[in-house]
Amino acid sequence: MTSPSLSPGDLALLAGALGRLSDGGREPVRVVSATVLGEGVHRLELSRADRPCVVVKRLRSHRARLEQRVTGRWLPGVGLDGLGPPRLSTVAETDGTYVWHVYDDLGARGLDRPDLDAGAVDLTMCRLADLHARFAGHLLLPEVRFAAGDLGVYFYTRSVRDALATVDRMRPPRLVPCPEDATTRDGVLARLQTLRDDEPARVRLLEGAGPETLVHGDLTRENVFVLDGAVRLIDWDHVGVAPAAFDLSTHVTHYPPAQRPLVVDRYTAAMAERGFPFRDDLDWDLLVRTFEAGRLANQLIWLATGVLEGTETTFDRLVEWDQALAAAVDGTVSVVSGAAP
């Protein structure tokens, strides 16, 4: 049975891409079943023994081009061509707005599996340090910034300021919220104003967060696979340029609190071995919260814009993001101490 989110048109389009994986003379490749793995991501069971499963992902065309530059030019340019996802084929939808990528199925060998051993974490931190160290100061870095964008100090300051201005517009005469929604709006504004007031100190912190480098941009544990002593990172469509610690700030909070200090220690040791030591007095708790606050502020811009423009976005979602922003601003995410958040 195929997933309801894969239309007959999707399957017909993918059939052409899957057919290109067949050797001459083989029977046509058929999709036996499909399982939804995430938004726009499916595992397809195929009618062939040598490659029984693939994973397909639907991306906006500009995001697809970014990943293609990561795997086709940027990673090979620093000798890390095996670090990216195992893409087998690409096919665009008729109007070119979306592109499907077809990947080898890496199975259940993600870093988020419960039976993970410390050696896999250690190897991942070493490869992450390889990525950051090799791109630091590299000739490709300006190209990455131009094509993918900046996720560092500029991203943080502009996200906070733009979010503050956009959320502040959610008042009469443009919008007349009920008293409860107005209280939510004012709470978000208060936290954004705290970030704005603290901007000089937080900018200094970000400037000391490691060398500017290429960062994955969405380095959750589920986007890391460890296979027979090799590391692969998938889902590069949020790649950009930022201080090296940007990736770690995303990654470390996906571990149980007690494991987080070990992850930070292994990463910082690996970076020091490659000539990029972090300051001994770096406040990792505040740094992680600052990166997260910048990401949340950026998302609040578009959420508030949706409310103002009368789309399906509602104040209920603003409540959710207010709670997440509170955790980042008020300090309830702990990295160094290992205390529960």
Side-chain angles (χ1 to χ4, degrees):
M1 179 184 299
T2 57
S3 163
S5 58
L6 276 175
S7 68
D10 294 333
L11 291 171
L13 187 69
L14 289 167
L18 295 171
R20 292 195 291 272
L21 305 181
S22 296
D23 297 331
R26 287 185 177 275
E27 291 291 325
V29 177
R30 294 183 298 103
V31 176
V32 177
S33 66
T35 304
V36 177
L37 300 181
E39 185 176 355
V41 185
H42 309 262
R43 175 178 286 115
L44 306 184
E45 182 183 347
L46 306 180
S47 61
R48 55 183 295 182
D50 58 333
R51 183 175 283 118
C53 289
V54 296
V55 173
V56 296
K57 182 177 181 181
R58 187 175 187 252
L59 296 157
R60 286 197 173 271
S61 58
H62 72 285
R63 294 290 184 187
R65 286 194 299 270
L66 275 181
E67 186 178 290
Q68 289 165 358
R69 294 181 85 160
V70 168
T71 56
R73 174 169 168 79
W74 296 339
L75 291 180
V78 297
L80 293 174
D81 48 314
L83 189 61
R87 191 174 68 252
L88 302 171
S89 185
T90 301
V91 60
E93 295 182 1
T94 305
D95 65 0
T97 303
Y98 286 92
V99 173
W100 288 89
H101 282 178
V102 181
Y103 303 98
D104 247 337
D105 182 16
L106 298 177
R109 290 170 286 185
L111 204 60
D112 58 339
R113 64 184 187 270
D115 61 340
L116 182 69
D117 61 76
V121 175
D122 186 75
L123 181 61
T124 298
M125 292 302 100
C126 287
R127 295 304 278 167
L128 184 61
D130 284 338
L131 174 72
H132 292 161
R134 294 190 192 186
F135 272 102
H138 197 277
L139 287 173
L140 283 170
L141 203 58
E143 179 183 319
V144 178
R145 193 194 309 273
F146 176 79
D150 191 297
L151 297 172
V153 170
Y154 177 80
F155 173 83
Y156 172 79
T157 58
R158 289 317 316 171
S159 294
V160 171
R161 295 182 190 189
D162 288 347
L164 191 58
T166 307
V167 175
D168 192 49
R169 294 188 179 99
M170 301 171 70
R171 61 177 73 250
R174 186 185 296 268
L175 186 72
V176 184
C178 69
E180 184 179 355
D181 290 344
T183 298
T184 298
R185 175 204 62 209
D186 292 343
V188 173
L189 284 172
R191 292 187 176 91
L192 290 170
Q193 188 60 53
T194 296
L195 294 174
R196 181 71 178 89
D197 293 342
D198 292 346
E199 184 177 290
R202 290 179 185 265
V203 165
R204 287 194 296 272
L205 184 67
L206 295 176
E207 289 174 340
E212 273 204 326
T213 186
L214 180 147
V215 294
H216 177 280
D218 188 26
L219 199 64
T220 61
R221 291 176 68 190
E222 65 185 11
N223 284 339
V224 181
F225 287 77
V226 181
L227 313 94
D228 301 323
V231 175
R232 280 192 180 271
L233 307 182
I234 66 170
D235 289 352
W236 287 82
D237 43 303
H238 291 89
V239 63
V241 174
F246 182 97
D247 273 341
L248 190 69
S249 75
T250 304
H251 189 71
V252 69
T253 56
H254 289 263
Y255 287 86
Q259 295 181 12
R260 295 172 187 172
L262 299 176
V263 177
V264 173
D265 288 347
R266 188 62 197 99
Y267 172 75
T268 55
M271 286 294 284
E273 291 166 2
R274 289 154 180 79
F276 295 97
F278 289 88
R279 299 196 324 264
D280 291 338
D281 62 348
L282 182 61
D283 188 338
W284 281 97
D285 279 335
L286 182 58
L287 179 61
V288 168
R289 294 199 306 271
T290 298
F291 276 126
E292 179 64 6
R295 290 187 285 261
L296 290 169
N298 186 266
Q299 293 159 5
L300 277 167
I301 298 168
W302 314 116
L303 191 154
T305 298
V307 174
L308 289 166
E309 293 182 344
T311 65
E312 295 180 358
T313 307
T314 66
F315 263 93
D316 290 340
R317 292 206 59 206
L318 194 66
V319 172
E320 298 173 14
W321 288 107
D322 179 39
Q323 294 169 349
L325 188 63
V329 174
D330 300 339
T332 56
V333 175
S334 181
V335 175
V336 175
S337 68

